[in-house]
PDB file of all heavy atoms in Angstrom:
ATOM      1  N   ALA A  38     -13.273 186.826  26.187  1.00 83.00           N
ATOM      2  CA  ALA A  38     -14.705 186.865  25.860  1.00 83.00           C
ATOM      3  C   ALA A  38     -15.156 185.570  25.200  1.00 83.00           C
ATOM      4  O   ALA A  38     -16.257 185.053  25.470  1.00 83.00           O
ATOM      5  CB  ALA A  38     -14.985 188.065  24.952  1.00 83.00           C
ATOM      6  N   ALA A 101      -1.903 179.863  29.691  1.00 44.00           N
ATOM      7  CA  ALA A 101      -0.993 178.908  30.286  1.00 44.00           C
ATOM      8  C   ALA A 101      -1.497 178.458  31.629  1.00 44.00           C
ATOM      9  O   ALA A 101      -2.235 179.167  32.300  1.00 44.00           O
ATOM     10  CB  ALA A 101       0.395 179.499  30.431  1.00 44.00           C
ATOM     11  N   ASP A 167      -6.023 191.736  51.510  1.00 92.00           N
ATOM     12  CA  ASP A 167      -5.612 191.143  52.784  1.00 92.00           C
ATOM     13  C   ASP A 167      -6.711 190.285  53.408  1.00 92.00           C
ATOM     14  O   ASP A 167      -6.667 189.964  54.586  1.00 92.00           O
ATOM     15  CB  ASP A 167      -5.196 192.269  53.765  1.00 92.00           C
ATOM     16  CG  ASP A 167      -6.302 193.291  53.954  1.00 92.00           C
ATOM     17  OD1 ASP A 167      -7.403 193.095  53.362  1.00 92.00           O
ATOM     18  OD2 ASP A 167      -6.095 194.264  54.683  1.00 92.00           O
ATOM     19  N   PRO A 412     -36.776 127.175  17.623  1.00 94.00           N
ATOM     20  CA  PRO A 412     -37.280 125.804  17.831  1.00 94.00           C
ATOM     21  C   PRO A 412     -36.912 124.858  16.695  1.00 94.00           C
ATOM     22  O   PRO A 412     -36.602 123.695  16.937  1.00 94.00           O
ATOM     23  CB  PRO A 412     -38.792 126.015  17.939  1.00 94.00           C
ATOM     24  CG  PRO A 412     -38.952 127.416  18.433  1.00 94.00           C
ATOM     25  CD  PRO A 412     -37.832 128.185  17.795  1.00 94.00           C
ATOM     26  N   ALA A 446     -45.210 125.533  17.038  1.00 93.00           N
ATOM     27  CA  ALA A 446     -45.554 124.118  16.871  1.00 93.00           C
ATOM     28  C   ALA A 446     -45.036 123.584  15.541  1.00 93.00           C
ATOM     29  O   ALA A 446     -44.529 122.463  15.460  1.00 93.00           O
ATOM     30  CB  ALA A 446     -47.068 123.940  16.979  1.00 93.00           C
ATOM     31  N   LEU A 480     -43.424  97.550  26.859  1.00 64.00           N
ATOM     32  CA  LEU A 480     -44.444  97.275  25.852  1.00 64.00           C
ATOM     33  C   LEU A 480     -43.904  97.626  24.469  1.00 64.00           C
ATOM     34  O   LEU A 480     -43.454  98.741  24.231  1.00 64.00           O
ATOM     35  CB  LEU A 480     -45.695  98.099  26.152  1.00 64.00           C
ATOM     36  CG  LEU A 480     -46.978  97.697  25.433  1.00 64.00           C
ATOM     37  CD1 LEU A 480     -47.386  96.293  25.824  1.00 64.00           C
ATOM     38  CD2 LEU A 480     -48.083  98.675  25.771  1.00 64.00           C
ATOM     39  N   VAL A 552     -62.634  93.558  21.822  1.00 88.00           N
ATOM     40  CA  VAL A 552     -61.529  92.812  21.224  1.00 88.00           C
ATOM     41  C   VAL A 552     -61.985  92.254  19.878  1.00 88.00           C
ATOM     42  O   VAL A 552     -62.933  91.481  19.805  1.00 88.00           O
ATOM     43  CB  VAL A 552     -61.085  91.660  22.141  1.00 88.00           C
ATOM     44  CG1 VAL A 552     -59.932  90.889  21.500  1.00 88.00           C
ATOM     45  CG2 VAL A 552     -60.664  92.199  23.503  1.00 88.00           C
ATOM     46  N   ASP A 658     -71.381  67.414  21.342  1.00 95.00           N
ATOM     47  CA  ASP A 658     -71.782  66.010  21.213  1.00 95.00           C
ATOM     48  C   ASP A 658     -73.293  65.914  21.374  1.00 95.00           C
ATOM     49  O   ASP A 658     -73.873  66.501  22.285  1.00 95.00           O
ATOM     50  CB  ASP A 658     -71.069  65.180  22.278  1.00 95.00           C
ATOM     51  CG  ASP A 658     -71.250  63.691  22.052  1.00 95.00           C
ATOM     52  OD1 ASP A 658     -72.415  63.238  21.994  1.00 95.00           O
ATOM     53  OD2 ASP A 658     -70.232  62.986  21.968  1.00 95.00           O
ATOM     54  N   THR A 783     -95.267  66.663   4.215  1.00 93.00           N
ATOM     55  CA  THR A 783     -95.902  65.368   3.926  1.00 93.00           C
ATOM     56  C   THR A 783     -97.183  65.262   4.747  1.00 93.00           C
ATOM     57  O   THR A 783     -97.133  65.335   5.991  1.00 93.00           O
ATOM     58  CB  THR A 783     -94.964  64.209   4.270  1.00 93.00           C
ATOM     59  OG1 THR A 783     -93.759  64.338   3.506  1.00 93.00           O
ATOM     60  CG2 THR A 783     -95.617  62.871   3.978  1.00 93.00           C
ATOM     61  N   PRO A 814    -120.926  67.398  11.614  1.00 95.00           N
ATOM     62  CA  PRO A 814    -120.715  66.701  12.897  1.00 95.00           C
ATOM     63  C   PRO A 814    -119.303  67.005  13.419  1.00 95.00           C
ATOM     64  O   PRO A 814    -118.350  67.114  12.641  1.00 95.00           O
ATOM     65  CB  PRO A 814    -120.881  65.227  12.536  1.00 95.00           C
ATOM     66  CG  PRO A 814    -121.683  65.217  11.298  1.00 95.00           C
ATOM     67  CD  PRO A 814    -121.279  66.446  10.537  1.00 95.00           C
ATOM     68  N   PRO A 916    -126.306  84.964  17.583  1.00 91.00           N
ATOM     69  CA  PRO A 916    -125.158  84.485  16.801  1.00 91.00           C
ATOM     70  C   PRO A 916    -125.235  84.889  15.344  1.00 91.00           C
ATOM     71  O   PRO A 916    -124.209  85.063  14.672  1.00 91.00           O
ATOM     72  CB  PRO A 916    -125.218  82.966  16.969  1.00 91.00           C
ATOM     73  CG  PRO A 916    -126.609  82.681  17.365  1.00 91.00           C
ATOM     74  CD  PRO A 916    -127.085  83.839  18.172  1.00 91.00           C
TER      75      PRO A 916
END
Side-chain angles (χ1 to χ4, degrees):
D167 56 3
L480 195 62
V552 180
D658 190 303
T783 301

